[in-house]
Amino acid sequence: MTPLRRNGPFVLVNVLNYGHFNSYAATIARWALASGLDVVFLGHGAGQIAARGGLAGQEGFAAMEISGVCRASCPEVHWGDAAQAKPAQGKRCREIIADIARELSPSAVLLINADEVFFQNPEVGEPGFTFDAPVYGIVTFGRRDTHYGVQDPYSRRLKATLDRRSGFAGLFSIDELHVRDGDPEEAFLHYLPDPYKEFHAAPAAAAAEEDSAALRAFLAAAPGPIVPILGKFDRRKGNLWILREVLNLPQARVVVLGERVADPRDDAEIDSLLGALAAQGRAFVRFGFLPQEMFDLVFASGTVPCLPLPYRNHTGSSGIQLMAHEHGVPVLAPDFGLMAERVHAHGLGEVFRPGDEADFAVRFAAMLQRGAKPYREGLQRFMGLFGVEAIGKALDGMFLTNRPGQGNLRTILHLRRDLPPHLALADTARRAFAAADIPGAESALAEALKLAPESPGLLLAHSVALWRLDRKAGATAGLQRCMEAGLDEELSFLAQLTVQDIQQTFQLQPALGALTLKNSLLSALPGLSPESLAVEKAPGHGSLGQGSLAHGSPLGQTHLPPRSWQALGGVFAQSGGHAQGAGCFRRAIAQAPVNQEYRLNLSDVLRYAGRFAEALHALDELERLAAHAHGLAHKRGQVLFEQGRHAEAEELFRLEPPESPFYAAAQGYLSRLAGQAAS
């Protein structure tokens, strides 16, 4: 890898300009400016983000709107809408880079969120995938597949890119073990210490001063321990568990800072708990995007004995964890993923069994009593490996000196403590998964479970390994035990990964799709067998409307997102499993009843099955929801066409409006009808 040439700007593409993406972009921009590079900060609202980060006006720095530079590749994309921006960045990455190359002639382009390329673009990792400029990227989900034991499209595309060392000029991973296992010489994949905060953040805006002053007063008001809940407030963070425990600990108080994401499953109880704590003067709550300064105020107050992080489905680095450690605060993390691996290897706190609220409660109460002192040495040593200097070394190694990391990776691996035997075996298994050595992974996990039979995370990975070795009875029994251990969310996520993989197979190799579905891990997951999915309307009350997988199944209270139900329904429909497809679409509708697309999908699969009256009924339901929905006339016309009612169908096809995405298809049917009439 040759050092960066300096006859063009260093372009930072920060499409999703919020949270940790801004921390990455601001930190890297400062390094580039200090290294004498001209920097273009490209994104939506780039000027405002640069001003907030104190970068605006610096010599050699320019902020540009991505909508202006990428006019040719993405003229219709509203970059401020993440639902549009994320897939656009991933699926059209080559076109976007072509625009950047033509408009800016960059020396290099760094994609702050390269994850979206691997999530969205089926071509990345394939032979011949190239960009029109030297493109680098940061990936943050590098070893997710080794914790779950199953590859999804993201993991497969990333591994292919690393194996071929092509397409990108180089990649950064913020997971040191990903680099250890994937490219220990850092020839292509480099370790980047997580830029978890804006190390030179500008002072908070005046609008936030009142909140900061109120927070200081709350922190100083009583001696009892403060329990922080910081960052995005969503169900995946397990905040409900924290609030329940704080309410039961009379001396404890809670500080909640961050953007709240609504979730009907938990919102009522969360509101009740926050209301009870506030009535007792034990809660400080500010929802929304808040300045980093407020997080630092909490951790620096000396009142935080530990940070509970009862996350679900989190296998990577955590910026909140690192921010706590910076201030000498240990964490309580689930024994699953990189957070726990770092806790074990460096003495950064304690872990609890994932999915086990009772175990969390016991260990949380003990940590509040114990305080931070027992962990101080490990925290200081570990956090010496992060910060501006360490990040600068990593960037120098990739872009300037051709000396990868200058010791960052070697140092953090050297400082790892010897692990207990079961954890050492778990690490061996993850390395085997990374090397596609499934027998080796299964063997190591089987030995680890003999030493730690109550570890749900080990059991989950072992069950998947058994399935991949065609030992299906053992896999099914193991996954059932995972459900009983409380891993409902993890099993739902495993189902999502499996659905994504099956969907990609159908897209790329349709002939293989039905076989892949038949032999997939889905049939081992409780409630996701084809037989259970064919039960389209669950008898009884309630569970289906809450997004369950199937009425009465062991997964009855879990939550597979409606988009995953839609994807799975499409897979079944393509493979001829019409009853199962209809069951999936009905579950998507139950979770998102106002979504028009799912109702059109349901009408399609019922039409494929020849259940024409039911297909028309699904469209009647859509009409009651949205009388002028696009596709309504066209889909009704398709049903009547297949019933042989061609005259009525023709009238309906003519009613589909020109602005509808179904207009061209309706015109195609009209042409077919005209041809039939002429013959």
Side-chain angles (χ1 to χ4, degrees):
M1 191 177 299
T2 57
L4 189 71
R5 60 186 176 86
R6 295 174 180 265
N7 59 342
F10 183 64
V11 179
L12 295 174
V13 181
N14 182 34
V15 173
L16 302 177
N17 51 10
Y18 53 77
H20 62 275
F21 298 116
N22 286 348
S23 301
Y24 290 13
T27 301
I28 295 169
R30 285 194 172 82
W31 163 83
L33 291 170
S35 301
L37 302 174
D38 291 333
V39 176
V40 172
F41 185 89
L42 188 66
H44 174 73
Q48 297 175 0
I49 301 300
R52 287 209 301 267
L55 291 165
Q58 292 199 32
E59 184 178 353
F61 179 85
M64 301 181 70
E65 287 294 316
I66 191 168
S67 57
V69 173
C70 298
R71 294 183 300 273
S73 59
C74 305
E76 81 292 354
V77 174
H78 175 48
W79 292 100
D81 180 356
Q84 294 185 46
K86 290 169 74 172
Q89 178 186 357
K91 292 177 181 177
R92 303 191 206 173
C93 56
R94 288 207 281 187
E95 295 87 342
I96 289 169
I97 297 301
D99 284 347
I100 292 171
R102 183 179 59 254
E103 297 287 331
L104 301 175
S105 300
S107 58
V109 179
L110 177 59
L111 300 180
I112 297 296
N113 183 22
D115 287 325
E116 288 304 323
V117 177
F118 295 99
F119 277 128
Q120 305 280 354
N121 197 310
E123 297 177 350
V124 65
E126 294 296 316
F129 182 89
T130 59
F131 292 107
D132 288 353
V135 176
Y136 301 78
I138 301 173
V139 295
T140 65
F141 297 93
R143 283 190 316 130
R144 182 173 68 179
D145 58 318
T146 70
H147 293 282
Y148 283 96
V150 61
Q151 281 199 318
D152 61 305
Y154 173 101
S155 303
R156 190 170 285 110
R157 293 162 187 163
L158 178 56
K159 188 176 189 309
T161 298
L162 297 179
D163 288 346
R164 291 193 172 96
R165 296 184 180 180
S166 64
F168 285 84
L171 289 172
F172 285 111
S173 175
I174 59 173
D175 178 348
E176 64 272 17
L177 301 182
H178 181 212
V179 183
R180 178 201 68 179
D181 299 343
D183 189 359
E185 301 300 321
E186 296 184 274
F188 181 83
L189 178 68
H190 290 218
Y191 170 56
L192 176 67
D194 192 339
Y196 61 92
K197 63 181 287 185
E198 294 190 37
F199 295 96
H200 304 283
E209 282 301 319
E210 285 187 24
D211 285 338
S212 296
L215 175 59
R216 289 189 184 92
F218 180 83
L219 294 171
I226 292 292
V227 179
I229 300 177
L230 307 180
K232 183 176 284 189
F233 190 99
D234 61 16
R235 193 172 196 266
R236 188 177 57 86
K237 300 290 184 69
N239 299 319
L240 186 57
W241 289 11
I242 300 174
L243 293 173
R244 286 171 179 164
E245 294 312 310
V246 172
L247 188 64
N248 291 330
L249 297 168
Q251 301 304 315
R253 297 181 294 151
V254 66
V255 171
V256 181
L257 304 173
E259 178 198 12
R260 183 168 181 178
V261 180
D263 193 303
R265 291 169 290 172
D266 292 346
D267 282 351
E269 186 177 357
I270 285 172
D271 290 340
S272 175
L273 290 167
L274 287 175
L277 289 165
Q280 298 171 24
R282 297 168 56 203
F284 182 93
V285 181
R286 295 292 187 276
F287 287 125
F289 290 104
L290 299 165
Q292 176 183 295
E293 175 195 44
M294 294 182 71
F295 291 21
D296 285 324
L297 279 175
V298 176
F299 286 129
S301 66
T303 61
V304 182
C306 72
L307 175 68
L309 295 170
Y311 288 8
R312 308 302 297 263
N313 298 324
H314 188 95
T315 58
S317 184
S318 164
I320 295 296
Q321 177 185 7
L322 295 175
M323 192 176 291
H325 293 340
E326 177 190 337
H327 292 279
V329 176
V331 299
L332 175 60
D335 196 5
F336 188 73
L338 181 62
M339 289 197 302
E341 289 175 305
R342 287 173 168 173
V343 167
H344 287 305
H346 298 279
L348 309 177
E350 303 292 337
V351 300
F352 66 93
R353 288 192 297 273
D356 189 336
E357 185 174 2
D359 189 50
F360 168 77
V362 169
R363 296 177 186 274
F364 177 48
M367 284 196 77
L368 286 180
Q369 289 293 322
R370 190 180 302 125
K373 187 175 180 180
Y375 311 97
R376 192 165 294 157
E377 183 179 341
L379 292 168
Q380 290 176 346
R381 184 169 56 243
F382 183 71
M383 289 311 296
L385 308 175
F386 292 83
V388 173
E389 182 179 352
I391 294 166
K393 284 182 180 180
L395 296 168
D396 285 348
M398 177 74 88
F399 295 113
L400 300 180
T401 66
N402 205 23
R403 294 199 300 273
Q406 300 186 45
N408 282 337
L409 179 65
R410 182 176 63 252
T411 302
I412 196 169
L413 295 179
H414 176 73
L415 290 178
R416 288 169 58 85
R417 305 187 302 188
D418 290 337
L419 297 173
H422 74 285
L423 293 176
L425 285 164
D427 186 53
T428 298
R430 285 188 281 272
R431 298 180 83 159
F433 274 129
D437 176 12
I438 309 307
E442 189 279 325
S443 177
L445 287 165
E447 291 300 313
L449 282 166
K450 291 178 184 177
L451 301 172
E454 300 302 317
S455 172
L458 296 180
L459 181 60
L460 176 64
H462 184 245
S463 301
V464 176
L466 288 175
W467 183 269
R468 293 179 70 176
L469 293 173
D470 205 31
R471 293 162 61 181
K472 296 183 177 179
T476 302
L479 292 169
Q480 176 63 48
R481 287 174 57 202
C482 289
M483 171 55 58
E484 293 165 356
L487 295 189
D488 52 348
E489 295 286 346
E490 287 72 19
L491 289 174
S492 289
F493 189 68
L494 181 60
Q496 292 178 54
L497 296 180
T498 306
V499 169
Q500 291 168 13
D501 202 37
I502 297 168
Q503 188 178 31
Q504 178 182 262
T505 303
F506 266 101
Q507 291 169 350
L508 300 180
Q509 297 174 281
L512 191 60
L515 182 63
T516 303
L517 175 61
K518 180 180 178 181
N519 294 323
S520 80
L521 182 67
L522 290 180
S523 58
L525 292 168
L528 270 176
S529 68
E531 294 76 19
S532 66
L533 291 173
V535 181
E536 296 172 23
K537 290 186 178 180
H541 172 71
S543 63
L544 183 59
Q546 297 302 314
S548 68
L549 301 184
H551 179 74
S553 79
L555 283 176
Q557 296 304 313
T558 66
H559 184 73
L560 196 62
R563 285 290 177 192
S564 292
W565 282 123
Q566 181 191 36
L568 184 56
V571 165
F572 275 115
Q574 285 177 281
S575 63
H578 299 141
Q580 293 88 351
C584 292
F585 292 133
R586 290 191 193 281
R587 285 162 174 78
I589 292 167
Q591 285 182 242
V594 299
N595 185 290
Q596 300 174 20
E597 188 178 354
Y598 303 152
R599 296 178 185 273
L600 294 174
N601 295 150
L602 177 60
S603 76
D604 281 338
V605 76
L606 292 170
R607 173 168 52 84
Y608 301 158
R611 294 157 60 177
F612 299 127
E614 292 175 74
L616 290 171
H617 178 72
L619 295 170
D620 291 343
E621 292 289 316
L622 172 58
E623 185 175 31
R624 278 191 280 275
L625 176 72
H628 303 290
H630 286 162
L632 192 57
H634 171 62
K635 296 295 182 184
R636 277 180 171 147
Q638 286 182 297
V639 175
L640 298 184
F641 179 87
E642 294 194 22
Q643 288 182 299
R645 298 160 62 180
H646 291 175
E648 296 169 86
E650 181 177 357
E651 291 181 21
L652 287 164
F653 290 135
R654 294 190 186 283
L655 292 176
E656 193 66 31
E659 66 272 15
S660 166
F662 300 97
Y663 178 75
Q667 293 300 304
Y669 270 94
L670 288 172
S671 297
R672 288 174 63 183
L673 288 167
Q676 290 177 10
S679 63

